[in-house]
């Protein structure tokens, strides 16, 4: 037996496909003194019973990137590491029963082709040609992905393990981790075989990630589902077809019915994601056992009967086959169904690569991303969709995680409609104004758990969940969004905005330190300004508003969902010997946006604040005898103020503003209207228009760069980019769209070639135009350039606009 290692640069906990891929990719990055610990045998968790499907399809740009990378890696892995693998690239068909599903497929085709994949949307005749055993009478079409297929999960894991070992990495099996502790800046990982001192630790423990997380004091938001698939005996017609064609049928997914059907040798494998699903290890009388290695749950076929009947009607030869075996094993789920890859929140030098629902398909890409996080502190692709910091503490609540996991599983193939709000696990965080907003007709959605009004319905409006299941701009909300936008334009609107993330930074040197962290200038006391944070490559990390209360006292305000991400970005970069303090004050304050030409008149009725102070100023004052900070900014792009209050004072202040505003036409407005209003001003949205996929200069933010500052993070990279020439640039587009507006990552076309992508889109009701924000090849970022925007498979004319807002281009209304 090899000697147990006493030290390593990185220790990975968990020997499934993702953990071993992480070890392999760390070696590829040159870190070859790493150790993987597995409590049983490699693959003994979810990997061993995984079906092994390897799709590239995703409605998420970053997940599609990861899965595409996996398929590219797997094709050459056997040869590279000299280990045999069964990897069948069969292609796949995703069936569409509706117009909306076909729209989803057209969007995926656009994203896939932009990433270099030959995805296509096909008609019924081609479906039948590729899959002769199928019934197509009730279908609209299908998405064909030639890169899809299946792989043997155990062989994949062992191949990655061999490749990692060949590069010097160590794997220790049958070695559970019993504890971890910090000692002199290192991690000490405790096991029955001894202790390992290391710089970094990775939790890759799959469905056991929560118990490993607790060793670090981390409560991971996750739960475990029971997933079954059925193996069928050989089907003679299928065997004959395979002999004739020398291969397997494409993998079939009936996503509207919710199952996949795959050829398994000369039989079939049916895997439903059933609505009547079951969570495991979710109650006190069903605890997770100490060891579940290479084990399965009892069969529960009653849950699958409806799906089996539907599949046999779709592919009748399936009904002639005998049932061979049922696999029923645990699969972990986060509350949004995406895995956790990245820094462990609040824990130094610790990372997560766990809770993978589709671990085989994503293992290759996940290993690449994890290795980049560890070795470089940043990733090639913006990977926010999988970043553990996207969840805050509420998401780890057991009941919430179980409810969301079951909802995701039961709707695994559901279309993600832009106006739809998933109903499970709601009302986690409520504004003091929640009941007031509800009484005014508010329809809600959750933003980092905070319930915010999206639009305000009137009696008779259709507020059913079914009404939101469309990509179309039109719907019961459209008339109301227009009314809300025009109220803000012509009179005044008020938006309850709970959950703004806010951090209090104070102490000697705070101003000087902030100046090194942002690309621009730190505002003077009494002023507020937008600030952009770049990484060392000059890419956009985040945007915060900096409110200067004194020379070295600041509030930094950022997006609700950015709370942990942005707090850690600041905290982890504070000098070790600093006298500065950084406090997360998010839970103590709330915010309302009052915006519109009558906003000053309304405030004049209820406060003695100096309402003549200019744009980008702030002041302390009182309304209804309650202290607040009145901030002269407006994301809606009209004369307006943000009203920042202590949570306990918010209702009293709102009531006073509301009462005073009635004679001035004050109306409530929601997040959908705010999105429309900000698009007309060209204001960027976090993790859409603003992400590490783009540099500060590409993002059109050079006006926020103070080049003559001595130093700031990313300066060298940005100077080099400026000298070499910016390759793509941010633009505002006016689109001659049809019934749908451009969505995130819609391809931009010019002369028959893809030349860029949208980063957000929607309709502007003040300018009465469809708008898209996006990134385009630099030579085309010229006002008046005519291009095309691909929206659900159809190209629509668009024109590049001048680099100024479409509405109130000189900001006269904003500054009035």
């Amino acid at each position: 037996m090899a000697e147990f290692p006493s030290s390593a640069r990185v220790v990975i906990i968990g020997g499934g496909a993702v953990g071993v891929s992480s070890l392999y990719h760390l070696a590829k990055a040159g870190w070859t003194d790493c150790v993987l610990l597995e409590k049983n045998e490699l693959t003994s968790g979810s990997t061993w019973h995984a079906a092994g499907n390897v799709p590239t399809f995703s409605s998420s740009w970053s997940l599609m990137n990861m899965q595409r990378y996996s398929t590219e890696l797997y094709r050459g892995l056997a040869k590279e590491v000299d280990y045999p693998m069964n990897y069948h690239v069969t292609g796949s068909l995703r069936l569409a029963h509706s117009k909306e599903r076909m729209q989803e497929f057209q969007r995926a085709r656009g994203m896939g082709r932009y990433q270099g994949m030959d995805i296509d949307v096909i008609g019924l005749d081609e479906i039948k040609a590729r899959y002769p055993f199928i019934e197509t009478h009730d279908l609209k079409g299908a998405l064909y992905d030639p890169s899809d297929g299946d792989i043997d999960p155990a062989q994949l894991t062992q191949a990655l393990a061999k490749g990692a070992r060949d590069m010097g990495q160590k794997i220790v099996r049958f070695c559970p981790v019993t504890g971890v502790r910090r000692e002199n800046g290192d991690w000490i990982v405790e096991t029955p075989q001894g202790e390992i001192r290391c710089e970094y630790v990775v939790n890759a423990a799959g469905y056991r990630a929560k118990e490993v997380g607790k060793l670090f004091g981390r409560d991971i938001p996750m739960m475990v589902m029971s997933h079954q698939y059925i193996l069928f005996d050989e089907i003679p017609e299928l065997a004959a077809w395979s002999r004739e064609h020398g291969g397997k049928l494409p993998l079939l997914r009936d996503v509207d019915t919710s199952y996949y059907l795959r050829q398994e040798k000369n039989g079939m494998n049916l895997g439903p994601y059933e609505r009547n699903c079951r969570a495991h290890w979710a109650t006190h009388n069903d605890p997770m056992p100490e060891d579940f290695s290479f084990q399965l749950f009892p069969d529960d076929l009653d849950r699958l009967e409806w799906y089996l009947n539907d599949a046999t009607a779709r592919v009748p030869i399936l009904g002639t086959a005998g049932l061979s075996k049922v696999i029923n094993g645990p699969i972990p789920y986060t509350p949004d169904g995406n895995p956790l890859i990245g820094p462990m929140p609040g824990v130094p030098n610790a990372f997560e690569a766990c809770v993978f629902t589709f671990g085989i398909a994503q293992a290759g890409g996940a290993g690449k991303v994890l290795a980049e996080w560890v070795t470089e502190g940043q990733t090639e692709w913006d990977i926010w969709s999988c970043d553990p910091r996207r969840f805050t503490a509420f998401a780890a609540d057991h009941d919430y995680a179980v409810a969301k996991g079951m909802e995701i599983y039961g709707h695994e193939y559901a279309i993600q409609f832009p106006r739809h709000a998933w109903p499970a696990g709601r009302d986690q965080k409520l504004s003091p104004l929640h009941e007031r907003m509800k009484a005014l007709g508010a329809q809600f959605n959750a933003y980092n758990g905070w319930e915010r009004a999206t639009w305000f319905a009137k009696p008779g409006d259709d507020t059913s969940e079914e009404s939101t299941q469309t990509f179309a701009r039109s719907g019961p909300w459209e008339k109301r969004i227009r009314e809300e936008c025009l109220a803000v334009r012509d009179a005044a609107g008020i938006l309850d905005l709970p959950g703004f993330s806010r951090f209090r930074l104070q102490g000697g040197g705070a101003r000087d330190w902030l100046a090194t962290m942002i690309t621009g200038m730190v505002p003077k006391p009494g002023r507020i300004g937008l600030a952009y944070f770049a990484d060392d490559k000059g890419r956009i990390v985040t945007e915060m508003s900096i409110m200067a209360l004194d020379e070295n006292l600041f509030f930094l305000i950022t997006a609700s969902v950015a709370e942990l991400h942005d707090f850690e970005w600041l905290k982890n970069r504070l000098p070790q010997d600093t006298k500065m303090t950084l406090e997360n004050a998010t839970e103590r304050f709330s915010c309302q946006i009052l915006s519109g030409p009558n906003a000053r008149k309304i405030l004049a009725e209820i406060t003695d604040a100096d309402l003549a102070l200019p744009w980008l100023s702030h002041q302390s004052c009182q309304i209804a005898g309650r202290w607040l900070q009145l901030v002269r900014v407006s994301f809606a792009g009209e004369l307006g103020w943000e009203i920042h209050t202590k949570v306990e004072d918010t209702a009293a202040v709102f009531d006073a503003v509301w009462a005073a505003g009635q004679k001035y036409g004050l109306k409530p407005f929601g997040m959908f209207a705010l999105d429309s209003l900000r698009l007309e001003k060209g204001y960027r949205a976090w993790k859409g228009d603003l992400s590490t996929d783009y540099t500060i200069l590409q993002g059109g933010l050079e006006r926020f760069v103070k080049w003559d500052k001595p130093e700031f993070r990313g300066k060298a990279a940005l100077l080099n980019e400026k000298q070499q020439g910016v390759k793509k640039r941010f633009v505002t587009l006016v689109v001659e769209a049809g019934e749908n507006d451009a969505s995130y990552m819609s391809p931009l076309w010019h002369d028959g070639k893809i030349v860029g992508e949208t980063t957000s889109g929607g309709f502007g009701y003040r300018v009465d135009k469809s708008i898209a924000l996006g990134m385009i090849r630099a030579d085309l970022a010229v006002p008046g350039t005519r291009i095309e925007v691909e929206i659900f498979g159809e190209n629509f004319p668009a024109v590049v606009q001048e680099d100024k807002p479409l509405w109130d281009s000189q900001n006269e209304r904003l500054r009035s």
Side-chain angles (χ1 to χ4, degrees), residues 750-788:
H750 185 262
D751 286 345
K753 296 179 180 179
I754 295 178
V755 293
E757 69 274 1
T758 61
T759 51
S760 59
F763 200 84
Y765 292 98
R766 289 177 297 192
V767 300
D768 211 33
K769 291 178 170 61
S770 182
I771 304 166
L773 307 182
M775 296 288 179
I776 196 169
R777 205 175 69 202
D779 62 300
L780 299 174
V782 178
T785 302
R786 300 192 65 84
I787 62 165
E788 295 177 311

Side-chain angles (χ1 to χ4, degrees), residues 641-660:
W641 283 263
E642 289 180 358
I643 304 171
H644 294 261
T645 55
K646 294 178 181 177
V647 168
E648 60 269 24
D649 296 331
T650 301
V653 171
F654 171 81
D655 289 344
V657 175
W658 184 254

Side-chain angles (χ1 to χ4, degrees), residues 238-294:
L238 182 56
W241 185 92
S242 289
R243 283 194 299 271
E244 180 182 351
H245 292 84
K248 295 169 65 174
L249 284 171
L251 196 155
L252 190 72
R253 290 183 181 86
D254 196 330
V255 287
D256 289 313
T257 305
S258 194
Y259 62 79
Y260 65 81
L261 184 64
R262 188 182 91 199
Q263 181 175 346
E264 191 76 21
K265 297 182 179 178
N266 289 319
M268 289 280 195
N269 174 346
L270 174 67
Y273 290 91
E274 68 277 13
R275 296 287 173 86
N276 54 326
C277 53
R278 179 177 176 183
H280 262 288
W281 307 328
T283 61
H284 292 297
N285 59 5
D286 181 26
M288 180 183 286
E290 179 66 27
D291 184 30
F292 200 71
S293 303
F294 297 113

Side-chain angles (χ1 to χ4, degrees), residues 63 71 141 183 306 436 511 531 533 566 604 608 639 695 701 793:
L63 286 174
T71 63
E183 189 176 280
W306 186 89
R436 288 168 173 80
R511 174 175 294 276
F533 294 74
D566 284 7
D608 59 0
L639 169 67
T695 69
L701 301 171

Side-chain angles (χ1 to χ4, degrees), residues 460-540:
D461 287 346
D462 184 358
T463 58
S464 67
E465 187 177 357
E466 289 73 22
S467 73
T468 67
Q469 295 174 342
T470 176
F471 289 109
R473 183 187 315 114
S474 62
W477 53 80
E478 188 185 20
K479 182 178 180 181
R480 305 304 170 214
I481 296 171
R482 181 183 291 274
E483 291 170 353
E484 293 168 27
C485 291
L486 299 189
V488 172
R489 182 193 70 182
D490 298 334
I494 190 165
L495 169 66
D496 179 34
L497 201 63
F500 253 153
S501 303
R502 65 189 73 217
F503 318 127
R504 182 185 176 97
L505 176 71
Q506 64 180 332
R511 174 175 294 276
D512 292 341
W513 176 74
L514 265 182
T516 69
M517 294 295 294
I518 66 174
T519 61
M521 296 298 291
V522 180
K524 298 296 184 182
R527 303 288 288 173
I528 186 171
L530 268 184
Y532 289 92
F533 294 74
D535 65 14
D536 293 333
K537 296 181 178 180
R539 303 183 303 177
I540 304 167

Side-chain angles (χ1 to χ4, degrees), residues 33 88 117 122 157 297 353 378 399 426 463 598 668 686 720 762 772:
D33 51 349
H88 308 106
M117 296 184 290
I122 62 176
T157 307
F297 301 127
Q378 55 196 3
D399 292 342
R426 298 297 295 277
T463 58
N598 291 344
W686 198 71
N720 181 65

Side-chain angles (χ1 to χ4, degrees), residues 343-490:
M344 187 182 295
V347 183
N349 287 4
F351 294 84
E352 293 173 346
C354 52
V355 201
F356 281 78
T357 299
F358 297 99
I360 305 305
Q362 294 167 359
K368 165 187 158 62
V369 169
L370 186 281
E372 290 168 348
W373 268 126
V374 174
T375 63
E376 301 177 35
Q378 55 196 3
T379 55
E380 177 185 357
W381 315 309
D382 190 290
I383 204 73
W384 179 245
S385 64
C386 302
D387 194 309
R389 296 167 295 184
R390 71 190 186 274
F391 295 117
T392 50
F394 81 94
D397 174 78
H398 175 77
D399 292 342
Y400 173 81
V402 169
K404 294 302 290 183
M406 293 184 70
E407 181 179 63
I408 294 291
Y409 182 93
H411 300 86
E412 187 62 71
Y413 294 131
I415 303 172
Q416 303 300 311
F417 293 110
R419 305 292 192 202
H420 178 252
W422 291 102
R426 298 297 295 277
D427 293 350
Q428 295 297 308
K429 302 179 187 178
L430 300 181
S431 160
L433 306 180
H434 185 78
E435 292 303 319
R436 288 168 173 80
M437 295 298 108
K438 185 184 291 186
L440 291 169
Q443 307 303 300
F444 295 96
N445 205 345
Y447 297 76
N448 189 23
W450 289 99
E451 295 290 330
R452 291 179 177 172
T454 52
W455 65 286
F456 286 83
K458 293 185 177 178
D461 287 346
D462 184 358
T463 58
S464 67
E465 187 177 357
E466 289 73 22
S467 73
T468 67
Q469 295 174 342
T470 176
F471 289 109
R473 183 187 315 114
S474 62
W477 53 80
E478 188 185 20
K479 182 178 180 181
R480 305 304 170 214
I481 296 171
R482 181 183 291 274
E483 291 170 353
E484 293 168 27
C485 291
L486 299 189
V488 172
R489 182 193 70 182
D490 298 334

